[in-house]
Amino acid sequence: MTASILDGKILSEQIRSEVAQELTEFVAKTGVTPCLAAVLVGDNPASQVYVRNKQKACEKAGITSQLHRPPAETTTEELLALVDRLNRDAAVHGILVQLPLPKQIEETRVLEAVNPLKDVDAFHPENVGRIVQNRPRFLPCTPHGVQQMLLRHAIPIAGAKVVIVGRSDIVGKPMAIMLMQRGRGGDATVTVCHSRTRDLPAVTREADILIVAIGQPKFLTSDMVKPGAVVIDVGINRTDGGLVGDVDFEAVKEVASQITPVPGGVGPLTIAMLMRNALTAAQLQCKEC
Ligand code: GUN
């Protein structure tokens, strides 16, 4: 069996056009144009590409975007001052601090400083807490994109055995919480694996839906996949052989029933969900609404 491909580009365009339509209605009703401010500290090449793609998506969606580029040697205090300025600027509805930050910066303090109403990444502890309690304000972009991929392809989530490989704050942890919640897009039985998991292949082979987010090129091999499983690859690794995911795509596609490619899988959905959150941020802050 060769897996069918879960195309993130097509789905991303669909979601972005839904957001653009809702945005047009919002602007017509309120006269407010949503604005997203991105903060990119230093010149990490991958981050530069991501931020550029996010800005292009804003432009297409009708969202105003700002780019703030403090130098690599910026201090925590200097970055906090910038975040404070953006928090107080009523014209800015969403703030995105691109990660990773340079080593000298206290990431936790910076993410906690973002006004929770402008926190389009959903990294602020208040927003994380709301997600855990199943009353989200924003959903984190990558896990939300994965959930939409599953829902919009009518892949059964309720009752499914989901195995997530990776326990990061950005993907693994929120993904697990979202898929285990009661209700639409949830009700799964979720297992989270990590570097200390004993007999990882035995655990991943149990999965109906296998989500891999550990940042190691081609980590997931075909012997780790149950025949017919759905495989979602969140990895984006730059190697000498080009961009590759965390899944050994060529081998795993012969075992899985459905699989996301890299590039063109989860990545474009992350950006679509960011556009969703930028509009939500403007809606939350709109006094006339
Ligand atoms: N770096 C990698 N993924 C992300 C993301 O979703 N948001 C931000 N701000 N930085 C990232």
Side-chain angles (χ1 to χ4, degrees):
M1 178 171 59
T2 297
S4 60
I5 304 297
L6 295 165
D7 189 323
K9 270 164 84 177
I10 294 175
L11 200 51
S12 155
E13 271 160 34
Q14 190 185 327
I15 293 171
R16 278 159 57 167
S17 90
E18 289 166 15
V19 171
Q21 188 173 341
E22 189 180 326
L23 186 137
T24 305
E25 289 162 17
F26 174 77
V27 175
K29 195 170 97 186
T30 64
V32 174
T33 301
C35 171
L36 177 66
V39 179
L40 172 57
V41 184
D43 40 31
N44 177 316
S47 293
Q48 289 186 53
V49 174
Y50 296 145
V51 169
R52 199 179 314 129
N53 288 340
K54 290 170 185 178
Q55 294 214 287
K56 277 195 218 154
C58 280
E59 201 178 306
K60 271 176 120 175
I63 295 169
T64 305
S65 70
Q66 294 182 359
L67 177 57
H68 299 267
R69 294 210 55 182
E73 60 277 11
T74 301
T75 63
T76 300
E77 300 304 327
E78 286 165 339
L79 192 52
L80 288 172
L82 172 58
V83 169
D84 182 53
R85 186 154 63 77
L86 297 171
N87 280 341
R88 284 187 285 103
D89 185 344
V92 170
H93 303 103
I95 301 170
L96 179 151
V97 181
Q98 184 66 29
L99 302 180
L101 290 167
K103 282 193 298 290
Q104 79 277 10
I105 292 178
E106 295 166 75
E107 184 179 296
T108 310
R109 280 181 70 197
V110 173
L111 299 183
E112 200 165 4
V114 173
N115 177 347
L117 293 176
K118 300 190 177 190
D119 176 31
V120 289
D121 271 320
F123 290 165
H124 190 285
E126 180 180 318
N127 286 321
V128 176
R130 292 185 69 110
I131 292 160
V132 172
Q133 294 180 347
N134 207 8
R135 51 191 193 107
R137 181 184 277 140
F138 301 105
L139 289 170
C141 302
T142 302
H144 195 195
V146 171
Q147 189 182 43
Q148 287 298 310
M149 177 80 95
L150 298 172
L151 280 169
R152 291 177 185 238
H153 284 92
I155 294 164
I157 303 174
K161 279 191 190 165
V162 175
V163 174
I164 299 167
V165 186
R167 56 177 158 183
S168 69
D169 289 343
I170 297 185
V171 183
K173 269 190 230 170
M175 187 82 262
I177 288 160
M178 287 164 63
L179 295 176
M180 63 165 263
Q181 297 291 13
R182 191 185 297 274
R184 183 175 142 79
D187 293 323
T189 302
V190 181
T191 302
V192 180
C193 302
H194 46 75
S195 52
R196 302 292 297 270
T197 296
R198 206 182 306 138
D199 198 356
L200 178 66
V203 182
T204 56
R205 274 196 300 268
E206 290 284 310
D208 303 312
I209 300 170
L210 187 47
I211 301 169
V212 194
I214 54 163
Q216 288 190 42
K218 300 190 183 184
F219 175 84
L220 191 96
T221 46
S222 57
D223 57 306
M224 301 169 81
V225 180
K226 177 170 76 176
V230 174
V231 177
I232 306 286
D233 189 350
V234 182
I236 303 178
N237 306 288
R238 286 169 169 74
T239 70
D240 293 342
L243 218 55
V244 298
D246 290 352
V247 174
D248 182 358
F249 180 85
E250 287 306 322
V252 171
K253 81 176 190 332
E254 300 305 327
V255 181
S257 63
Q258 299 183 80
I259 187 167
T260 59
V262 176
V266 173
L269 285 174
T270 297
I271 295 189
M273 302 333 288
L274 177 65
M275 300 302 104
R276 168 70 266 166
N277 284 352
L279 174 55
T280 300
Q283 288 166 334
L284 286 169
Q285 287 156 73
C286 180
K287 305 227 167 23
E288 305 84 65
C289 305

